[in-house]
């Protein structure tokens, strides 16, 4: 489907058709090009391809038809000019940041980040002379105050993992641009269905495609999206030369995942909304966080920048760690796992898993108490999920 044709169609249609490269066999389902390399008609053609004088593929570390279909389809849906897929979400985050940075630069990031993202900002970048400042992402003054003469990029995720805080993307983008910096947004929790960071002013959006984009717990993958200029200047050459590339097989799974993404995410969100409604005021729950509810601390920002609630909710079980563990262990349908965005409902105790690396005071700062659990709602019948959660809470 050409770019002008894509514009005619609504987002769901683009997720089914955009980017398809149909082969000479006329297949309906996109082909899996499981190949490392490509052959050339003759020596002149090889030379032209390497000089970029002729379009075509050279080597799957940096270009492959199945990966190109995934990149094109994501770009069309996200409203991005260009995209590059990566082996994992962490490869996407690392590349999106390091591709722009050099020794002496400074990064400002929200403190509420997925554990490995926080490691990149706090521990990894400083090893190469890139300093960083962590701020409370919901406090705009802290972003402003953190800016220095060498600040090159801002980085945030919203809703945050695991406490589902909402950060105002448009406001932070404005502060970043006034400082001559770029803004990178990790959009994993919102999904492209409910939030479009580029349209809100971000320069780059990254995904762990491992989560909702696959949606059935099979493949790891990531993707970086932005303007043609951003991708060409900061991402393409770095990806080509350093090689954190997506496997064509995984690209094919993720490409097919996009076709069902809106249906899955909306259904999971409806179930999460129903579960949050049931749990509000429950005597065994001391705190409930759900971005779709009016009692969410940043409900206004959520309403302004998100088109829907969330497939995830977080809540504090009475009795601290012991209460949370009793609750998790009593679940029969919802399974204990650190993953999210799966067809299967999954529960996580962040304090002892994804965020155990942080000092207790840092966790307290982020609202990650010992009783907090994060629930990623799956595609089971909502009543079965609700029954399971209610029965397990009785065991606390
Ligand atoms: C918000 C967020 N960003 C990035 C990642 C990293 O993705 P991956 O596991 O695909 O490397 C994850 C989860 O693992 C995540 O939850």
């Amino acid at each position: 489907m050409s770019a002008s044709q894509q514009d005619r169609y609504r987002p769901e249609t683009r997720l089914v058709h955009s980017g398809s490269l149909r082969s000479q066999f006329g297949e309906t389902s996109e082909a899996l090009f499981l190949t490392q390399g490509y052959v050339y008609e003759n020596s002149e053609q090889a030379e032209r391809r390497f000089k970029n004088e002729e379009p075509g593929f050279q080597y799957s570390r940096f270009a492959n038809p199945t990966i190109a279909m995934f990149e094109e389809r994501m770009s069309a849906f996200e409203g991005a000019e260009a995209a590059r897929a990566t082996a994992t979400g962490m490869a996407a985050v690392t590349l999106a940041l390091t591709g722009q940075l050099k020794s002496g630069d400074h990064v400002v990031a929200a403190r509420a980040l997925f554990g490995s993202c926080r490691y990149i900002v706090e521990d990894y970048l400083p090893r190469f002379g890139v300093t960083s400042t962590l701020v409370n992402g919901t406090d705009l003054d802290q972003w402003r105050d953190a800016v220095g003469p060498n600040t090159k990029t801002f980085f945030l995720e919203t809703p945050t993992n695991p406490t589902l805080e909402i950060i105002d993307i448009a406001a932070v983008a404005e502060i970043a641009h006034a400082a001559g910096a770029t803004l990178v947004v990790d959009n994993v929790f919102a999904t492209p269905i409910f939030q479009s960071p580029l349209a809100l002013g971000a320069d780059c959006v990254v995904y762990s495609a491992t989560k909702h984009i696959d949606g059935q717990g099979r493949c790891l993958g990531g993707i970086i999206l932005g303007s043609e200029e951003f991708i060409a200047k900061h991402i393409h050459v770095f990806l080509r030369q350093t090689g954190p590339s997506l496997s064509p097989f995984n690209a094919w799974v993720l490409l097919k995942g996009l076709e069902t993404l809106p249906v899955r995410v909306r259904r999971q969100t409806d179930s999460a909304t129903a579960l949050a409604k049931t749990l509000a005021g429950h005597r065994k729950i001391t705190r409930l966080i759900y971005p779709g509810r009016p009692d969410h601390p940043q409900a206004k920002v959520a309403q302004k920048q998100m088109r829907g609630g969330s497939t995830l909710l977080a809540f504090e079980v009475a009795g601290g760690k012991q209460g949370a563990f009793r609750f998790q262990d009593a679940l029969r349908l919802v399974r204990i796992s650190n993953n999210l965005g799966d067809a299967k409902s999954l529960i996580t105790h962040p304090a002892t898993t994804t965020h155990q690396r942080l000092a207790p005071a840092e966790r307290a700062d982020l609202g990650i108490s010992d009783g907090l659990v994060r629930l990623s709602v799956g595609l089971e019948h909502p009543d079965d999920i609700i029954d399971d959660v209610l029965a397990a809470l009785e065991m606390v």
Side-chain angles (χ1 to χ4, degrees):
M1 199 188 281
S2 71
S4 57
Q5 276 177 313
Q6 281 166 22
D7 291 344
R8 282 189 12 225
Y9 293 109
R10 291 170 182 81
E12 287 81 354
T13 309
R14 281 186 231 151
L15 279 179
V16 179
H17 291 280
S18 291
S20 283
L21 294 171
R22 194 160 277 130
S23 81
Q24 72 271 33
F25 300 113
E27 62 280 354
T28 45
S29 175
E30 292 73 5
L32 166 53
F33 291 94
L34 200 56
T35 181
Q36 298 168 345
Y38 308 84
V39 293
Y40 309 102
E41 295 294 329
N42 49 47
S43 315
E44 280 74 25
Q45 187 183 47
E47 186 179 16
R48 285 197 302 278
R49 291 263 177 98
F50 272 79
K51 285 181 169 169
N52 280 331
E53 290 169 1
E54 176 187 297
F57 295 93
Q58 296 157 35
Y59 193 53
S60 289
R61 184 182 342 106
F62 45 91
N64 167 283
T66 308
I67 298 171
M69 285 191 265
F70 173 56
E71 291 169 342
E72 270 292 312
R73 193 167 287 181
M74 273 300 290
S75 302
F77 186 67
E78 194 79 39
E81 287 174 6
R84 284 294 173 274
T86 54
T88 64
M90 282 321 302
V93 169
T94 309
L95 201 60
L97 296 176
T98 51
Q100 298 180 72
L101 297 165
K102 59 178 185 343
S103 174
D105 288 344
H106 174 242
V107 178
V108 186
R111 64 186 182 179
L113 289 177
F114 169 61
S116 300
C117 296
R118 202 162 147 159
Y119 166 83
I120 299 294
V121 172
E122 259 190 317
D123 298 75
Y124 181 73
L125 291 178
R127 284 167 45 191
F128 301 93
V130 175
T131 53
S132 59
T133 307
L134 292 175
V135 299
N136 174 351
T138 62
D139 181 347
L140 296 177
D141 285 335
Q142 290 199 21
W143 288 100
R144 272 185 214 102
D145 294 346
V147 169
N150 50 351
T151 302
K152 284 287 153 46
T153 191
F154 282 24
F155 177 49
L156 63 88
E157 65 186 43
T158 178
T160 63
N161 181 8
T163 51
L164 308 175
E165 273 180 4
I166 310 286
I167 301 176
D168 189 331
I169 296 174
V172 175
E174 207 178 303
I175 299 167
H177 295 158
T182 58
L183 171 63
V184 177
V185 175
D186 179 336
N187 208 32
V188 165
F189 271 52
T191 83
I193 305 301
F194 289 149
Q195 187 167 270
S196 305
L198 297 177
L200 292 163
D203 302 278
C204 174
V205 57
V206 289
Y207 288 98
S208 163
T210 314
K211 313 299 187 230
H212 302 85
I213 291 174
D214 175 339
Q216 291 176 68
R218 298 161 295 190
C219 292
L220 294 158
I223 191 157
I224 308 167
L225 302 110
S227 66
E228 199 77 66
E229 190 197 346
F230 185 95
I231 298 293
K233 189 168 160 194
H234 301 299
I235 309 299
H236 178 70
V237 175
F238 203 64
L239 174 71
R240 178 182 175 132
Q241 306 296 2
T242 62
S245 320
L246 182 63
S247 137
F249 180 82
N250 290 3
W252 181 80
V253 173
L254 300 171
L255 177 70
K256 302 308 285 178
L258 289 178
E259 296 179 356
T260 56
L261 182 70
V263 178
R264 288 185 284 105
V265 165
R266 290 201 179 106
R267 162 77 174 192
Q268 288 167 297
T269 302
D270 288 347
S271 299
T273 306
L275 179 60
K277 197 170 166 201
T278 307
L279 296 183
H282 192 287
R283 68 187 200 293
K284 298 281 177 69
I285 290 180
T286 50
R287 182 171 153 227
L288 171 74
I289 316 164
Y290 186 63
R293 286 178 59 80
D295 59 8
H296 186 283
Q298 294 90 33
K300 279 209 176 96
V301 184
Q303 236 173 26
K304 186 176 76 160
Q305 71 185 19
M306 295 183 73
R307 295 181 286 272
S310 168
T311 64
L312 292 113
L313 59 157
F315 50 92
E316 227 167 55
V317 181
K321 178 179 168 185
Q322 199 188 25
F325 272 29
R326 266 205 199 135
F327 166 68
Q328 288 201 139
D329 293 343
L331 289 164
R332 291 291 164 262
L333 179 66
V334 178
R335 305 312 303 261
I336 301 170
S337 169
N338 49 291
N339 209 2
L340 61 98
D342 200 305
K344 296 180 171 62
S345 290
L346 302 173
I347 191 123
T348 309
H349 183 250
T352 52
T353 58
T354 51
H355 290 71
Q356 53 91 18
R357 197 182 69 86
L358 299 182
E362 289 175 316
R363 280 200 296 273
D365 231 21
L366 295 171
I368 304 173
S369 63
D370 287 347
L372 188 84
V373 291
R374 183 197 76 192
L375 205 165
S376 170
V377 175
L379 287 171
E380 302 92 345
H381 193 288
D383 293 346
D384 286 332
I385 304 169
I386 291 170
D387 288 350
D388 195 39
V389 170
L390 290 179
L393 281 171
E394 287 312 312
M395 308 302 282
V396 173

